Amino acid sequence: MSNLITIELNTVAYRIERIHSIHSFFSQYKVDTQGCALAMNNQIIPRAEWQTRGLSDGESISLFQAIAGG
Amino acid sequence: MSNLLMEGLNDQDFLRYSRQIMLPDIGEKGQLSLRNSTVLMVGSGGLGSAVSMYLAAAGIGTLIIADGDKLEISNLQRQVVYRKSNLGQNKAIAMAQQLKELNSAVTVEVISHRLNEPELSRFINQVDVVLDCSDNLFTRHEINAACVKNKVPLISGAAIGWQGQLMMFSNQQRGNQKASACYHCLFPFTESQQTENCQSFGIVGPVVGMIGNLQALETIKYLTQPNWIKWSTIHQFDGRTLQWSCIDIPKDNTCSVCCPSQAFHHVSREVLQSKECINGEFVYE
């Protein structure tokens, strides 16, 4: 079985190692998450869970900014 | 303040609000609920323009508006409640004047300065629902904390560029445990280099109007058909593609604002004394 999986971050596909957590994936690919919330399967993943939440083949991550304007 | 429960609707009320009273889900009972309700709206910019006009037109009982800014010419592109003649005036005061033209039956109270704690909690403690129409994260978190503390629902809107966000937080507890998420569960930070506001990133008028309209819609729903509201959600709108996404917000058990270990400070209900009365309106300067 391949150790590589395909995931999407904001509709861009990444081929990554299966072992990644959300946090380690962001670290390795230097994704700037400042000011952002993260959703998977239409549900927010609290930041406290980014270290432990693993990634599976075919999953999509939506990373979006807090908007302040009004 | 606004809790004077009035008699039933008169003939003029039935005429004026007939197109919403005829909806079985609103009816006379819903119209009276609107009239007996008090809403606090923090921020009277693009979101607040849409919110305030629709709530005033719908016959909300009392609308409390807080904004310490003066109207600038760059506001007129999207803050559609104002007229050119309002330039230089305090926005909350100018908005109140426009709303009274729209519907003089609505009690409009004005806070013509930046609303901070502890005053914020004193106002929040006496309203049915809070609408965050502000333009910065610091204020958004302060409003959230006060709503959590006072267990008052928060309907939060935000917009920048072509993007909009609508967020719904009930802030109600089930037993001793807070059942729902809060704004801080979603965005647990107060500062960000990428914190976007209209001054630095621009904003398309109808996008902010769209989110404001939906804040007004959700407020009317909450006050007439509260079971219809889907709390703990963020709806995101992309004005370029017209696409919406709806995302559930689970409660963050590590949230420093709403986690169960957090002590809720009880704020007693206080009667606020108006400092000044202008044109029949209460103004807190």
Side-chain angles (χ1 to χ4, degrees):
Chain A
M1 195 167 92
S2 166
N3 279 330
L4 292 178
I5 58 172
T6 302
I7 61 153
E8 278 191 3
L9 170 61
N10 291 349
T11 72
V12 177
Y14 288 79
R15 193 93 174 122
I16 65 168
E17 288 173 41
R18 187 178 293 275
I19 53 164
H20 276 301
S21 66
I22 295 171
H23 177 78
S24 67
F25 164 63
F26 286 161
S27 296
Q28 178 163 341
Y29 287 86
K30 298 186 169 48
V31 178
D32 183 5
T33 63
Q34 191 179 25
C36 287
L38 184 156
M40 294 176 73
N41 302 317
N42 293 323
Q43 179 151 324
I44 297 292
I45 312 284
R47 262 174 193 265
E49 296 175 22
W50 291 9
Q51 298 260 11
T52 53
R53 172 68 156 81
L55 293 164
S56 304
D57 192 44
E59 283 195 307
S60 296
I61 298 171
S62 171
L63 193 65
F64 58 90
Q65 293 268 320
I67 298 177
Chain B
M1 200 139 64
S2 61
N3 293 342
L4 55 146
L5 289 165
M6 286 178 273
E7 309 265 316
L9 304 173
N10 62 31
D11 289 349
Q12 275 303 308
D13 295 330
F14 274 106
L15 277 174
R16 177 164 193 140
Y17 306 116
S18 61
R19 296 305 188 269
Q20 62 193 35
I21 289 174
M22 68 172 60
L23 291 167
D25 307 304
I26 295 182
E28 185 179 352
K29 183 166 170 274
Q31 192 62 49
L32 282 168
S33 295
L34 292 174
R35 196 171 70 181
N36 290 326
S37 297
T38 300
V39 174
L40 171 64
M41 191 184 85
V42 183
S44 55
L47 295 169
S49 288
V51 163
S52 65
M53 287 195 288
Y54 273 109
L55 290 185
I60 204 83
T62 300
L63 183 60
I64 306 174
I65 305 166
D67 202 312
D69 290 345
K70 288 184 166 62
L71 186 69
E72 298 176 12
I73 193 159
S74 63
N75 299 150
L76 292 173
Q77 158 259 1
R78 65 196 180 281
Q79 300 180 15
V80 294
V81 71
Y82 303 111
R83 298 294 171 262
K84 196 178 170 191
S85 59
N86 296 128
L87 285 174
Q89 297 174 356
N90 171 267
K91 286 161 75 169
I93 291 174
M95 178 178 279
Q97 289 165 356
Q98 298 289 352
L99 296 178
K100 292 306 274 191
E101 291 283 318
L102 177 59
N103 190 350
S104 61
V106 176
T107 301
V108 183
E109 297 181 13
V110 168
I111 303 161
S112 62
H113 56 264
R114 190 186 167 91
L115 185 57
N116 296 115
E117 291 290 15
E119 191 185 26
L120 177 63
S121 277
R122 290 205 301 271
F123 276 98
I124 284 179
N125 196 38
Q126 60 183 331
V127 303
D128 297 293
V129 56
V130 175
L131 302 183
D132 188 340
C133 302
S134 69
D135 63 359
N136 65 87
L137 277 188
F138 180 84
T139 300
R140 289 175 181 279
H141 280 288
E142 201 169 38
I143 293 167
N144 176 66
C147 286
V148 169
K149 189 171 68 177
N150 292 287
K151 304 184 187 73
V152 174
L154 172 63
I155 298 175
S156 181
I160 198 76
W162 300 89
Q163 311 290 323
Q165 294 175 340
L166 173 71
M167 295 147 280
M168 310 288 299
F169 303 103
S170 73
N171 295 320
Q172 303 304 301
Q173 286 177 287
R174 193 173 296 152
N176 286 328
Q177 194 165 10
K178 186 176 175 299
S180 65
C182 77
Y183 183 82
H184 189 272
C185 293
L186 174 64
F187 295 127
F189 40 79
T190 52
E191 286 186 35
S192 159
Q193 64 181 23
Q194 298 190 54
T195 298
E196 298 179 342
N197 60 41
C198 299
Q199 283 80 8
S200 48
F201 284 83
I203 172 74
V204 182
V207 172
V208 71
M210 183 129 184
I211 300 298
N213 282 349
L214 291 177
Q215 285 180 278
L217 173 64
E218 293 301 271
T219 303
I220 290 169
K221 277 163 60 181
Y222 171 66
L223 297 172
T224 58
Q225 291 289 345
N227 292 332
W228 288 3
I229 300 286
K230 191 175 179 217
W231 298 108
S232 302
T233 53
I234 173 170
H235 301 261
Q236 296 206 91
F237 174 65
D238 185 338
R240 295 169 300 187
T241 61
L242 302 189
Q243 284 191 319
W244 282 95
S245 64
C246 178
I247 297 167
D248 294 326
I249 309 167
K251 180 177 159 54
D252 179 359
N253 291 319
T254 66
C255 178
S256 62
V257 174
C258 73
C259 68
S261 59
Q262 178 84 3
F264 287 99
H265 301 288
H266 179 71
V267 175
S268 62
R269 191 180 178 89
E270 295 181 37
V271 177
L272 295 159
Q273 300 297 318
S274 57
K275 289 181 177 169
E276 196 176 350
C277 190
I278 299 173
N279 297 331
E281 298 304 324
F282 298 103
V283 176
Y284 305 92
E285 289 190 314

